[in-house]
Amino acid sequence: MLVTENGTAKKMSAESFKDVRRSGIIAIRLDKGDALKTAVLVEKGDDVILGTATGQSIRFKESDVREMGRTAGGVRAIKISKSDNVVGVGVIKKDEEAAFLTMSEHGLGKKTKVKEYKTQKRGGSGIKTAKVTPKTGKLIIGRLVRDETEIIAVSKKGQIIRTSLDSVPSLGRQTQGVTVMKLRAGDSIASLACL
């Protein structure tokens, strides 16, 4: 499944990429101003969860997105405003005990158990995944965590921390999280990796 920053999703068979030329092949037709955010492997029975910069999220069944050809554009996965964008995508296996990790540009983070996200139909506005305020800044990361034990966060000005994932608390969807990384004035989170 391919997901774009503007909330479009497209599901394709892996067979579509069996014979890829050296120059590449078209995988999705993008609308003007849109960009591919991520590609994830989905199987029958999986759920897909998306998080956006303004703190919205949606969880839907992979079967809500029909399989398409390579040149198709996809369907709406989540309805978002022009000033919003998808920041994270995860695949939830049946009865899985995972958590959705979110982190904002000002270094606040939290984990929320996936059972707090009800399964909806794709294409809606979704539900709140984090409280976004001027203090937190927009969300820049949304990803599923399972057996990972550590996170590494990097700021735009090159500051880096490595900390235990256990130090990031499990909180409800309506909360903003706690300070995971203290940043200098004018700095913000650039990226995060889980180990």
Side-chain angles (χ1 to χ4, degrees):
M1 187 175 290
L2 308 176
V3 180
T4 73
E5 289 184 351
N6 290 351
T8 297
K10 178 182 177 182
K11 188 169 71 176
M12 306 163 61
S13 164
E15 291 289 307
S16 304
F17 300 99
K18 186 167 69 175
D19 298 319
V20 178
R21 296 183 296 273
R22 188 176 273 198
S23 60
I25 57 175
I26 293 171
I28 186 171
R29 181 179 42 79
L30 294 168
D31 293 333
K32 189 174 182 181
D34 202 358
L36 185 63
K37 179 64 184 176
T38 193
V40 291
L41 290 172
V42 293
E43 296 176 334
K44 198 169 186 155
D46 290 346
D47 281 0
V48 178
I49 187 167
L50 275 65
T52 75
T54 60
Q56 288 298 108
S57 66
I58 194 165
R59 176 180 177 174
F60 59 90
K61 294 181 183 305
E62 60 78 27
S63 57
D64 284 357
V65 179
R66 64 179 172 76
E67 198 175 302
M68 300 173 208
R70 286 192 301 103
T71 56
V75 294
R76 178 183 288 158
I78 186 169
K79 186 179 184 179
I80 56 176
S81 68
K82 286 195 183 332
S83 60
D84 201 0
N85 63 286
V86 172
V87 296
V89 181
V91 178
I92 305 167
K93 300 292 179 189
K94 191 174 171 122
D95 302 322
E96 184 176 38
E97 290 293 321
F100 196 55
L101 172 71
T102 55
M103 196 158 185
S104 68
E105 60 187 346
H106 296 161
L108 282 84
K110 65 171 180 165
K111 296 177 293 202
T112 306
K113 293 188 184 322
V114 292
K115 65 184 177 189
E116 288 198 36
Y117 298 87
K118 65 182 181 184
T119 304
Q120 301 173 278
K121 288 288 184 194
R122 67 151 184 90
S125 301
I127 56 176
K128 190 62 74 184
T129 191
K131 188 175 179 183
V132 173
T133 66
K135 176 190 168 189
T136 65
K138 288 187 172 185
L139 292 186
I140 54 122
I141 291 154
R143 62 163 294 164
L144 282 178
V145 287
R146 296 172 176 90
D147 304 324
E148 295 90 338
T149 57
E150 292 184 315
I151 59 171
I152 297 173
V154 182
S155 78
K156 288 185 177 172
K157 291 189 176 177
Q159 186 181 346
I160 188 168
I161 64 156
R162 181 175 181 170
T163 187
S164 164
L165 192 55
D166 289 339
S167 68
V168 180
S170 286
L171 300 170
R173 290 186 300 99
Q174 300 284 353
T175 59
Q176 62 186 20
V178 300
T179 301
V180 175
M181 183 174 186
K182 288 189 174 108
L183 297 161
R184 297 182 182 95
D187 203 358
S188 61
I189 298 289
S191 187
L192 177 138
C194 295
L195 310 169

PDB file of all heavy atoms in Angstrom, residues 47-80:
ATOM      1  N   ASP A  47      -5.073  -4.008   9.485  1.00  0.00           N
ATOM      2  CA  ASP A  47      -5.598  -2.652   9.563  1.00  0.00           C
ATOM      3  C   ASP A  47      -4.454  -1.704   9.273  1.00  0.00           C
ATOM      4  O   ASP A  47      -3.281  -2.027   9.526  1.00  0.00           O
ATOM      5  CB  ASP A  47      -6.151  -2.337  10.963  1.00  0.00           C
ATOM      6  CG  ASP A  47      -7.536  -2.931  11.199  1.00  0.00           C
ATOM      7  OD1 ASP A  47      -8.073  -3.596  10.285  1.00  0.00           O
ATOM      8  OD2 ASP A  47      -8.079  -2.740  12.297  1.00  0.00           O
ATOM      9  N   VAL A  48      -4.786  -0.517   8.760  1.00  0.00           N
ATOM     10  CA  VAL A  48      -3.787   0.512   8.481  1.00  0.00           C
ATOM     11  C   VAL A  48      -4.121   1.713   9.341  1.00  0.00           C
ATOM     12  O   VAL A  48      -5.288   2.090   9.478  1.00  0.00           O
ATOM     13  CB  VAL A  48      -3.793   0.906   6.986  1.00  0.00           C
ATOM     14  CG1 VAL A  48      -2.786   2.014   6.705  1.00  0.00           C
ATOM     15  CG2 VAL A  48      -3.495  -0.310   6.125  1.00  0.00           C
ATOM     16  N   ILE A  49      -3.101   2.329   9.973  1.00  0.00           N
ATOM     17  CA  ILE A  49      -3.302   3.523  10.786  1.00  0.00           C
ATOM     18  C   ILE A  49      -2.460   4.657  10.214  1.00  0.00           C
ATOM     19  O   ILE A  49      -1.308   4.445   9.834  1.00  0.00           O
ATOM     20  CB  ILE A  49      -2.982   3.260  12.282  1.00  0.00           C
ATOM     21  CG1 ILE A  49      -3.361   4.472  13.140  1.00  0.00           C
ATOM     22  CG2 ILE A  49      -1.539   2.853  12.489  1.00  0.00           C
ATOM     23  CD1 ILE A  49      -3.363   4.186  14.642  1.00  0.00           C
ATOM     24  N   LEU A  50      -3.063   5.841  10.118  1.00  0.00           N
ATOM     25  CA  LEU A  50      -2.379   7.035   9.615  1.00  0.00           C
ATOM     26  C   LEU A  50      -2.453   8.119  10.676  1.00  0.00           C
ATOM     27  O   LEU A  50      -3.466   8.256  11.353  1.00  0.00           O
ATOM     28  CB  LEU A  50      -3.094   7.578   8.368  1.00  0.00           C
ATOM     29  CG  LEU A  50      -2.782   7.029   6.994  1.00  0.00           C
ATOM     30  CD1 LEU A  50      -3.180   5.587   6.876  1.00  0.00           C
ATOM     31  CD2 LEU A  50      -3.502   7.840   5.942  1.00  0.00           C
ATOM     32  N   GLY A  51      -1.385   8.911  10.800  1.00  0.00           N
ATOM     33  CA  GLY A  51      -1.386  10.071  11.682  1.00  0.00           C
ATOM     34  C   GLY A  51      -1.031  11.310  10.881  1.00  0.00           C
ATOM     35  O   GLY A  51      -0.253  11.231   9.919  1.00  0.00           O
ATOM     36  N   THR A  52      -1.596  12.479  11.263  1.00  0.00           N
ATOM     37  CA  THR A  52      -1.324  13.716  10.534  1.00  0.00           C
ATOM     38  C   THR A  52      -0.646  14.750  11.424  1.00  0.00           C
ATOM     39  O   THR A  52      -0.648  14.631  12.645  1.00  0.00           O
ATOM     40  CB  THR A  52      -2.613  14.341   9.952  1.00  0.00           C
ATOM     41  OG1 THR A  52      -3.361  14.968  11.016  1.00  0.00           O
ATOM     42  CG2 THR A  52      -3.470  13.306   9.249  1.00  0.00           C
ATOM     43  N   ALA A  53      -0.103  15.781  10.807  1.00  0.00           N
ATOM     44  CA  ALA A  53       0.646  16.821  11.511  1.00  0.00           C
ATOM     45  C   ALA A  53      -0.199  17.579  12.533  1.00  0.00           C
ATOM     46  O   ALA A  53       0.311  18.049  13.543  1.00  0.00           O
ATOM     47  CB  ALA A  53       1.251  17.802  10.498  1.00  0.00           C
ATOM     48  N   THR A  54      -1.517  17.702  12.281  1.00  0.00           N
ATOM     49  CA  THR A  54      -2.375  18.442  13.218  1.00  0.00           C
ATOM     50  C   THR A  54      -2.960  17.552  14.308  1.00  0.00           C
ATOM     51  O   THR A  54      -3.817  17.980  15.074  1.00  0.00           O
ATOM     52  CB  THR A  54      -3.523  19.151  12.470  1.00  0.00           C
ATOM     53  OG1 THR A  54      -4.311  18.166  11.784  1.00  0.00           O
ATOM     54  CG2 THR A  54      -3.000  20.186  11.497  1.00  0.00           C
ATOM     55  N   GLY A  55      -2.508  16.295  14.378  1.00  0.00           N
ATOM     56  CA  GLY A  55      -2.922  15.418  15.465  1.00  0.00           C
ATOM     57  C   GLY A  55      -4.129  14.545  15.187  1.00  0.00           C
ATOM     58  O   GLY A  55      -4.697  13.963  16.106  1.00  0.00           O
ATOM     59  N   GLN A  56      -4.536  14.420  13.920  1.00  0.00           N
ATOM     60  CA  GLN A  56      -5.640  13.533  13.573  1.00  0.00           C
ATOM     61  C   GLN A  56      -5.091  12.150  13.207  1.00  0.00           C
ATOM     62  O   GLN A  56      -3.926  12.016  12.845  1.00  0.00           O
ATOM     63  CB  GLN A  56      -6.436  14.089  12.388  1.00  0.00           C
ATOM     64  CG  GLN A  56      -7.286  15.295  12.731  1.00  0.00           C
ATOM     65  CD  GLN A  56      -8.354  14.988  13.762  1.00  0.00           C
ATOM     66  OE1 GLN A  56      -8.235  15.422  14.908  1.00  0.00           O
ATOM     67  NE2 GLN A  56      -9.374  14.241  13.395  1.00  0.00           N
ATOM     68  N   SER A  57      -5.945  11.141  13.286  1.00  0.00           N
ATOM     69  CA  SER A  57      -5.539   9.790  12.897  1.00  0.00           C
ATOM     70  C   SER A  57      -6.761   9.028  12.416  1.00  0.00           C
ATOM     71  O   SER A  57      -7.895   9.383  12.753  1.00  0.00           O
ATOM     72  CB  SER A  57      -4.907   9.043  14.074  1.00  0.00           C
ATOM     73  OG  SER A  57      -5.892   8.822  15.071  1.00  0.00           O
ATOM     74  N   ILE A  58      -6.507   8.005  11.630  1.00  0.00           N
ATOM     75  CA  ILE A  58      -7.594   7.121  11.199  1.00  0.00           C
ATOM     76  C   ILE A  58      -7.050   5.701  11.117  1.00  0.00           C
ATOM     77  O   ILE A  58      -5.893   5.493  10.754  1.00  0.00           O
ATOM     78  CB  ILE A  58      -8.200   7.586   9.852  1.00  0.00           C
ATOM     79  CG1 ILE A  58      -9.528   6.874   9.585  1.00  0.00           C
ATOM     80  CG2 ILE A  58      -7.227   7.379   8.692  1.00  0.00           C
ATOM     81  CD1 ILE A  58     -10.366   7.515   8.486  1.00  0.00           C
ATOM     82  N   ARG A  59      -7.887   4.762  11.518  1.00  0.00           N
ATOM     83  CA  ARG A  59      -7.558   3.334  11.421  1.00  0.00           C
ATOM     84  C   ARG A  59      -8.648   2.677  10.575  1.00  0.00           C
ATOM     85  O   ARG A  59      -9.836   2.824  10.878  1.00  0.00           O
ATOM     86  CB  ARG A  59      -7.533   2.701  12.820  1.00  0.00           C
ATOM     87  CG  ARG A  59      -7.289   1.203  12.808  1.00  0.00           C
ATOM     88  CD  ARG A  59      -7.285   0.633  14.221  1.00  0.00           C
ATOM     89  NE  ARG A  59      -7.116  -0.808  14.195  1.00  0.00           N
ATOM     90  CZ  ARG A  59      -6.954  -1.560  15.282  1.00  0.00           C
ATOM     91  NH1 ARG A  59      -6.942  -0.995  16.483  1.00  0.00           N
ATOM     92  NH2 ARG A  59      -6.803  -2.868  15.177  1.00  0.00           N
ATOM     93  N   PHE A  60      -8.245   2.013   9.498  1.00  0.00           N
ATOM     94  CA  PHE A  60      -9.215   1.380   8.614  1.00  0.00           C
ATOM     95  C   PHE A  60      -8.692   0.027   8.150  1.00  0.00           C
ATOM     96  O   PHE A  60      -7.501  -0.250   8.227  1.00  0.00           O
ATOM     97  CB  PHE A  60      -9.545   2.280   7.415  1.00  0.00           C
ATOM     98  CG  PHE A  60      -8.363   2.646   6.557  1.00  0.00           C
ATOM     99  CD1 PHE A  60      -7.990   1.855   5.484  1.00  0.00           C
ATOM    100  CD2 PHE A  60      -7.619   3.789   6.828  1.00  0.00           C
ATOM    101  CE1 PHE A  60      -6.900   2.186   4.689  1.00  0.00           C
ATOM    102  CE2 PHE A  60      -6.527   4.131   6.040  1.00  0.00           C
ATOM    103  CZ  PHE A  60      -6.167   3.338   4.972  1.00  0.00           C
ATOM    104  N   LYS A  61      -9.605  -0.812   7.660  1.00  0.00           N
ATOM    105  CA  LYS A  61      -9.229  -2.133   7.155  1.00  0.00           C
ATOM    106  C   LYS A  61      -8.543  -1.997   5.802  1.00  0.00           C
ATOM    107  O   LYS A  61      -8.954  -1.181   4.990  1.00  0.00           O
ATOM    108  CB  LYS A  61     -10.477  -3.012   7.009  1.00  0.00           C
ATOM    109  CG  LYS A  61     -11.157  -3.351   8.309  1.00  0.00           C
ATOM    110  CD  LYS A  61     -12.356  -4.239   8.043  1.00  0.00           C
ATOM    111  CE  LYS A  61     -13.112  -4.555   9.320  1.00  0.00           C
ATOM    112  NZ  LYS A  61     -12.314  -5.137  10.364  1.00  0.00           N
ATOM    113  N   GLU A  62      -7.518  -2.797   5.573  1.00  0.00           N
ATOM    114  CA  GLU A  62      -6.825  -2.743   4.282  1.00  0.00           C
ATOM    115  C   GLU A  62      -7.777  -3.075   3.141  1.00  0.00           C
ATOM    116  O   GLU A  62      -7.616  -2.594   2.030  1.00  0.00           O
ATOM    117  CB  GLU A  62      -5.598  -3.666   4.256  1.00  0.00           C
ATOM    118  CG  GLU A  62      -5.848  -5.153   4.481  1.00  0.00           C
ATOM    119  CD  GLU A  62      -6.400  -5.908   3.283  1.00  0.00           C
ATOM    120  OE1 GLU A  62      -6.162  -5.495   2.140  1.00  0.00           O
ATOM    121  OE2 GLU A  62      -7.088  -6.910   3.502  1.00  0.00           O
ATOM    122  N   SER A  63      -8.830  -3.850   3.425  1.00  0.00           N
ATOM    123  CA  SER A  63      -9.797  -4.235   2.394  1.00  0.00           C
ATOM    124  C   SER A  63     -10.666  -3.061   1.941  1.00  0.00           C
ATOM    125  O   SER A  63     -11.342  -3.143   0.921  1.00  0.00           O
ATOM    126  CB  SER A  63     -10.685  -5.379   2.890  1.00  0.00           C
ATOM    127  OG  SER A  63     -11.339  -5.008   4.093  1.00  0.00           O
ATOM    128  N   ASP A  64     -10.633  -1.934   2.690  1.00  0.00           N
ATOM    129  CA  ASP A  64     -11.369  -0.727   2.280  1.00  0.00           C
ATOM    130  C   ASP A  64     -10.740  -0.075   1.048  1.00  0.00           C
ATOM    131  O   ASP A  64     -11.360   0.773   0.413  1.00  0.00           O
ATOM    132  CB  ASP A  64     -11.408   0.307   3.412  1.00  0.00           C
ATOM    133  CG  ASP A  64     -12.396  -0.070   4.507  1.00  0.00           C
ATOM    134  OD1 ASP A  64     -13.084  -1.095   4.362  1.00  0.00           O
ATOM    135  OD2 ASP A  64     -12.485   0.675   5.497  1.00  0.00           O
ATOM    136  N   VAL A  65      -9.495  -0.426   0.757  1.00  0.00           N
ATOM    137  CA  VAL A  65      -8.813   0.103  -0.424  1.00  0.00           C
ATOM    138  C   VAL A  65      -8.678  -1.061  -1.406  1.00  0.00           C
ATOM    139  O   VAL A  65      -7.986  -2.035  -1.129  1.00  0.00           O
ATOM    140  CB  VAL A  65      -7.409   0.664  -0.070  1.00  0.00           C
ATOM    141  CG1 VAL A  65      -6.707   1.188  -1.318  1.00  0.00           C
ATOM    142  CG2 VAL A  65      -7.517   1.745   0.990  1.00  0.00           C
ATOM    143  N   ARG A  66      -9.371  -0.947  -2.550  1.00  0.00           N
ATOM    144  CA  ARG A  66      -9.316  -2.043  -3.518  1.00  0.00           C
ATOM    145  C   ARG A  66      -7.968  -2.040  -4.239  1.00  0.00           C
ATOM    146  O   ARG A  66      -7.294  -1.019  -4.317  1.00  0.00           O
ATOM    147  CB  ARG A  66     -10.461  -1.936  -4.525  1.00  0.00           C
ATOM    148  CG  ARG A  66     -10.408  -0.708  -5.380  1.00  0.00           C
ATOM    149  CD  ARG A  66     -11.555  -0.663  -6.387  1.00  0.00           C
ATOM    150  NE  ARG A  66     -11.579   0.614  -7.074  1.00  0.00           N
ATOM    151  CZ  ARG A  66     -10.756   0.976  -8.041  1.00  0.00           C
ATOM    152  NH1 ARG A  66      -9.817   0.150  -8.449  1.00  0.00           N
ATOM    153  NH2 ARG A  66     -10.851   2.158  -8.606  1.00  0.00           N
ATOM    154  N   GLU A  67      -7.598  -3.198  -4.753  1.00  0.00           N
ATOM    155  CA  GLU A  67      -6.342  -3.307  -5.501  1.00  0.00           C
ATOM    156  C   GLU A  67      -6.464  -2.582  -6.835  1.00  0.00           C
ATOM    157  O   GLU A  67      -7.505  -2.644  -7.490  1.00  0.00           O
ATOM    158  CB  GLU A  67      -6.020  -4.787  -5.728  1.00  0.00           C
ATOM    159  CG  GLU A  67      -4.584  -5.034  -6.096  1.00  0.00           C
ATOM    160  CD  GLU A  67      -4.262  -6.514  -6.189  1.00  0.00           C
ATOM    161  OE1 GLU A  67      -4.454  -7.226  -5.182  1.00  0.00           O
ATOM    162  OE2 GLU A  67      -3.816  -6.948  -7.265  1.00  0.00           O
ATOM    163  N   MET A  68      -5.410  -1.855  -7.225  1.00  0.00           N
ATOM    164  CA  MET A  68      -5.435  -1.047  -8.453  1.00  0.00           C
ATOM    165  C   MET A  68      -4.208  -1.325  -9.309  1.00  0.00           C
ATOM    166  O   MET A  68      -3.230  -1.897  -8.844  1.00  0.00           O
ATOM    167  CB  MET A  68      -5.439   0.445  -8.102  1.00  0.00           C
ATOM    168  CG  MET A  68      -6.616   0.881  -7.277  1.00  0.00           C
ATOM    169  SD  MET A  68      -6.415   2.569  -6.752  1.00  0.00           S
ATOM    170  CE  MET A  68      -7.362   2.541  -5.252  1.00  0.00           C
ATOM    171  N   GLY A  69      -4.269  -0.837 -10.553  1.00  0.00           N
ATOM    172  CA  GLY A  69      -3.135  -0.948 -11.465  1.00  0.00           C
ATOM    173  C   GLY A  69      -2.081   0.113 -11.150  1.00  0.00           C
ATOM    174  O   GLY A  69      -2.330   1.055 -10.399  1.00  0.00           O
ATOM    175  N   ARG A  70      -0.921  -0.023 -11.776  1.00  0.00           N
ATOM    176  CA  ARG A  70       0.204   0.865 -11.466  1.00  0.00           C
ATOM    177  C   ARG A  70      -0.050   2.335 -11.787  1.00  0.00           C
ATOM    178  O   ARG A  70       0.465   3.203 -11.117  1.00  0.00           O
ATOM    179  CB  ARG A  70       1.469   0.390 -12.200  1.00  0.00           C
ATOM    180  CG  ARG A  70       2.086  -0.843 -11.598  1.00  0.00           C
ATOM    181  CD  ARG A  70       3.460  -1.128 -12.136  1.00  0.00           C
ATOM    182  NE  ARG A  70       3.497  -1.314 -13.578  1.00  0.00           N
ATOM    183  CZ  ARG A  70       3.922  -0.395 -14.440  1.00  0.00           C
ATOM    184  NH1 ARG A  70       4.332   0.769 -14.009  1.00  0.00           N
ATOM    185  NH2 ARG A  70       3.935  -0.645 -15.732  1.00  0.00           N
ATOM    186  N   THR A  71      -0.821   2.622 -12.829  1.00  0.00           N
ATOM    187  CA  THR A  71      -0.987   4.020 -13.235  1.00  0.00           C
ATOM    188  C   THR A  71      -2.162   4.717 -12.554  1.00  0.00           C
ATOM    189  O   THR A  71      -2.391   5.900 -12.775  1.00  0.00           O
ATOM    190  CB  THR A  71      -1.163   4.113 -14.763  1.00  0.00           C
ATOM    191  OG1 THR A  71      -2.262   3.286 -15.142  1.00  0.00           O
ATOM    192  CG2 THR A  71       0.105   3.668 -15.480  1.00  0.00           C
ATOM    193  N   ALA A  72      -2.900   4.013 -11.708  1.00  0.00           N
ATOM    194  CA  ALA A  72      -4.039   4.621 -11.007  1.00  0.00           C
ATOM    195  C   ALA A  72      -3.543   5.604  -9.952  1.00  0.00           C
ATOM    196  O   ALA A  72      -2.401   5.546  -9.498  1.00  0.00           O
ATOM    197  CB  ALA A  72      -4.891   3.531 -10.365  1.00  0.00           C
ATOM    198  N   GLY A  73      -4.438   6.483  -9.547  1.00  0.00           N
ATOM    199  CA  GLY A  73      -4.062   7.516  -8.583  1.00  0.00           C
ATOM    200  C   GLY A  73      -4.340   7.177  -7.132  1.00  0.00           C
ATOM    201  O   GLY A  73      -3.764   7.766  -6.238  1.00  0.00           O
ATOM    202  N   GLY A  74      -5.233   6.253  -6.854  1.00  0.00           N
ATOM    203  CA  GLY A  74      -5.547   5.892  -5.479  1.00  0.00           C
ATOM    204  C   GLY A  74      -6.855   6.497  -5.018  1.00  0.00           C
ATOM    205  O   GLY A  74      -7.565   7.179  -5.763  1.00  0.00           O
ATOM    206  N   VAL A  75      -7.191   6.266  -3.745  1.00  0.00           N
ATOM    207  CA  VAL A  75      -8.434   6.750  -3.137  1.00  0.00           C
ATOM    208  C   VAL A  75      -8.102   7.493  -1.848  1.00  0.00           C
ATOM    209  O   VAL A  75      -7.015   7.353  -1.299  1.00  0.00           O
ATOM    210  CB  VAL A  75      -9.400   5.578  -2.835  1.00  0.00           C
ATOM    211  CG1 VAL A  75      -9.887   4.927  -4.120  1.00  0.00           C
ATOM    212  CG2 VAL A  75      -8.755   4.542  -1.920  1.00  0.00           C
ATOM    213  N   ARG A  76      -9.074   8.264  -1.350  1.00  0.00           N
ATOM    214  CA  ARG A  76      -8.839   9.034  -0.126  1.00  0.00           C
ATOM    215  C   ARG A  76      -8.797   8.104   1.084  1.00  0.00           C
ATOM    216  O   ARG A  76      -9.739   7.360   1.345  1.00  0.00           O
ATOM    217  CB  ARG A  76      -9.940  10.074   0.058  1.00  0.00           C
ATOM    218  CG  ARG A  76      -9.758  10.877   1.357  1.00  0.00           C
ATOM    219  CD  ARG A  76     -10.869  11.854   1.595  1.00  0.00           C
ATOM    220  NE  ARG A  76     -10.749  12.943   0.651  1.00  0.00           N
ATOM    221  CZ  ARG A  76     -11.756  13.730   0.304  1.00  0.00           C
ATOM    222  NH1 ARG A  76     -12.949  13.525   0.801  1.00  0.00           N
ATOM    223  NH2 ARG A  76     -11.568  14.715  -0.543  1.00  0.00           N
ATOM    224  N   ALA A  77      -7.716   8.161   1.839  1.00  0.00           N
ATOM    225  CA  ALA A  77      -7.599   7.373   3.066  1.00  0.00           C
ATOM    226  C   ALA A  77      -8.074   8.191   4.263  1.00  0.00           C
ATOM    227  O   ALA A  77      -8.743   7.684   5.158  1.00  0.00           O
ATOM    228  CB  ALA A  77      -6.157   6.931   3.280  1.00  0.00           C
ATOM    229  N   ILE A  78      -7.700   9.473   4.296  1.00  0.00           N
ATOM    230  CA  ILE A  78      -8.113  10.380   5.362  1.00  0.00           C
ATOM    231  C   ILE A  78      -8.376  11.754   4.760  1.00  0.00           C
ATOM    232  O   ILE A  78      -7.664  12.191   3.857  1.00  0.00           O
ATOM    233  CB  ILE A  78      -7.056  10.457   6.497  1.00  0.00           C
ATOM    234  CG1 ILE A  78      -7.565  11.291   7.675  1.00  0.00           C
ATOM    235  CG2 ILE A  78      -5.715  10.985   5.981  1.00  0.00           C
ATOM    236  CD1 ILE A  78      -6.712  11.196   8.935  1.00  0.00           C
ATOM    237  N   LYS A  79      -9.412  12.388   5.255  1.00  0.00           N
ATOM    238  CA  LYS A  79      -9.788  13.724   4.781  1.00  0.00           C
ATOM    239  C   LYS A  79      -9.048  14.746   5.638  1.00  0.00           C
ATOM    240  O   LYS A  79      -9.239  14.784   6.859  1.00  0.00           O
ATOM    241  CB  LYS A  79     -11.299  13.887   4.931  1.00  0.00           C
ATOM    242  CG  LYS A  79     -11.866  15.142   4.358  1.00  0.00           C
ATOM    243  CD  LYS A  79     -13.367  15.114   4.573  1.00  0.00           C
ATOM    244  CE  LYS A  79     -14.020  16.309   3.940  1.00  0.00           C
ATOM    245  NZ  LYS A  79     -15.481  16.261   4.134  1.00  0.00           N
ATOM    246  N   ILE A  80      -8.180  15.541   4.996  1.00  0.00           N
ATOM    247  CA  ILE A  80      -7.407  16.536   5.749  1.00  0.00           C
ATOM    248  C   ILE A  80      -7.461  17.888   5.044  1.00  0.00           C
ATOM    249  O   ILE A  80      -7.760  17.970   3.855  1.00  0.00           O
ATOM    250  CB  ILE A  80      -5.933  16.098   5.946  1.00  0.00           C
ATOM    251  CG1 ILE A  80      -5.245  15.803   4.602  1.00  0.00           C
ATOM    252  CG2 ILE A  80      -5.833  14.918   6.872  1.00  0.00           C
ATOM    253  CD1 ILE A  80      -3.768  15.452   4.720  1.00  0.00           C
TER     254      ILE A  80
END
